[in-house]
Amino acid sequence: MRTSLQEVEDAASRAAQLASRIAKTETACIRIAIMCTIDPGKVGRCLAQFQQDNPTLSIELLDFTAATIQEALLNGKVDVAIIGSPVEAVPRVRTHELFQERMVMSCGLQNRLAQRESIPLKMIAEFPYIDRLRCEFRDMILSMVDKNDVNLNVVASSEREDWIKSLLAQDHGISIMPESSASSAGLKSVALRDQNLLRSVYLTIPAGREDLPPVQALIKHVKSFY
């Protein structure tokens, strides 16, 4: 019962915070947490259209990692979140799938793998590897290569996606990342022939309360956009 009552209290607190912000300003602001591994372009088009259709609403975009984004959503720091899978099942949130995409091997256009459409997983051991430290698939990827006796030659690592993409563009190595991220940076996407890594991107909302009109408008828009 304590858990159920806590959910009700948290939901009421989040609704009160959003209502207070709306009452204090002429323009209602929706705080949106976006997982740092999600390509801005693919989501940005949706949000830009949302603002054009709802000129009285504004948005605040906040950068979060996979480890912190759900906590920020549940404690009321943000109103909605855009997350990538895999994520742990959380009974206190609702999700709406926006799109799916492949996880691919990505490299610069000068890399010799750029001429390939697909490669076996074991081939990535032959190239310098750049480790994406904030990737929500990182543990899964490390487990996958270990299971297949593939030794990664890690030459660089970073929590920042922009640094990772810059190193790849300069042909400093290869990495596994979402296909939209590779495409937006002008990198080559190469499928992993013997693996089928997909990720889903979700709009996520706390459960246990009725959504206020600004959030309802956003949910309706993203459902029709994708």
Side-chain angles (χ1 to χ4, degrees), residues 159-194:
E159 293 184 341
R160 289 183 49 171
E161 292 290 291
D162 54 348
W163 280 103
I164 296 288
K165 294 175 183 178
S166 177
L167 291 171
L168 293 172
Q170 296 173 52
D171 198 20
H172 191 60
I174 65 174
S175 191
I176 296 176
M177 65 171 48
E179 189 168 19
S180 63
S181 294
S183 299
S184 68
L187 302 171
K188 171 65 176 182
S189 295
V190 181
L192 293 171
R193 184 183 307 156
D194 46 357

Side-chain angles (χ1 to χ4, degrees), residues 144-163:
M144 178 181 69
V145 298
D146 182 62
K147 182 179 179 181
N148 288 274
D149 295 321
V150 175
N151 295 316
L152 294 179
N153 177 23
V154 178
V155 296
S157 60
S158 178
E159 293 184 341
R160 289 183 49 171
E161 292 290 291
D162 54 348
W163 280 103

Side-chain angles (χ1 to χ4, degrees), residues 16 22 24 38 42 65 96 110 128 154 206-207 210:
I22 294 173
K24 291 178 181 178
I38 295 175
K42 201 168 182 69
T65 66
H96 302 279
Q110 302 87 356
V154 178
E210 183 178 355

Side-chain angles (χ1 to χ4, degrees), residues 9-184:
E9 182 179 355
D10 291 347
S13 176
R14 288 190 296 267
Q17 291 176 26
L18 181 56
S20 177
R21 294 202 313 273
I22 294 173
K24 291 178 181 178
T25 61
E26 293 183 359
T27 302
C29 179
I30 306 174
R31 295 172 302 180
I32 304 175
I34 300 182
M35 193 177 287
C36 58
T37 61
I38 295 175
D39 177 60
K42 201 168 182 69
V43 175
R45 291 189 294 273
C46 173
L47 296 179
Q49 184 63 55
F50 171 72
Q51 286 200 291
Q52 292 178 19
D53 295 342
N54 300 272
T56 61
L57 300 179
S58 67
I59 57 176
E60 180 181 2
L61 305 178
L62 303 168
D63 188 25
F64 281 86
T65 66
T68 61
I69 194 168
Q70 289 180 348
E71 180 184 355
L73 182 67
L74 293 173
N75 66 20
K77 289 183 178 179
V78 297
D79 303 310
V80 298
I82 298 176
I83 64 175
S85 67
V87 294
E88 296 295 329
V90 179
R92 295 166 62 190
V93 301
R94 293 171 286 141
T95 58
H96 302 279
E97 186 177 71
L98 305 184
F99 58 88
Q100 282 191 342
E101 62 180 333
R102 297 187 302 171
M103 297 288 290
V104 297
M105 190 289 295
S106 60
C107 62
L109 300 182
Q110 302 87 356
N111 193 291
R112 63 186 176 91
L113 289 180
Q115 306 303 317
R116 307 283 294 269
E117 293 302 319
S118 66
I119 60 170
L121 176 65
K122 64 180 181 180
M123 186 175 285
I124 68 175
E126 302 173 16
F127 295 82
Y129 190 84
I130 302 176
D131 192 5
R132 300 171 55 241
L133 296 179
R134 287 190 172 184
C135 176
E136 63 270 26
F137 273 84
R138 185 171 183 268
D139 289 343
M140 183 181 295
I141 291 171
L142 294 178
S143 176
M144 178 181 69
V145 298
D146 182 62
K147 182 179 179 181
N148 288 274
D149 295 321
V150 175
N151 295 316
L152 294 179
N153 177 23
V154 178
V155 296
S157 60
S158 178
E159 293 184 341
R160 289 183 49 171
E161 292 290 291
D162 54 348
W163 280 103
I164 296 288
K165 294 175 183 178
S166 177
L167 291 171
L168 293 172
Q170 296 173 52
D171 198 20
H172 191 60
I174 65 174
S175 191
I176 296 176
M177 65 171 48
E179 189 168 19
S180 63
S181 294
S183 299
S184 68

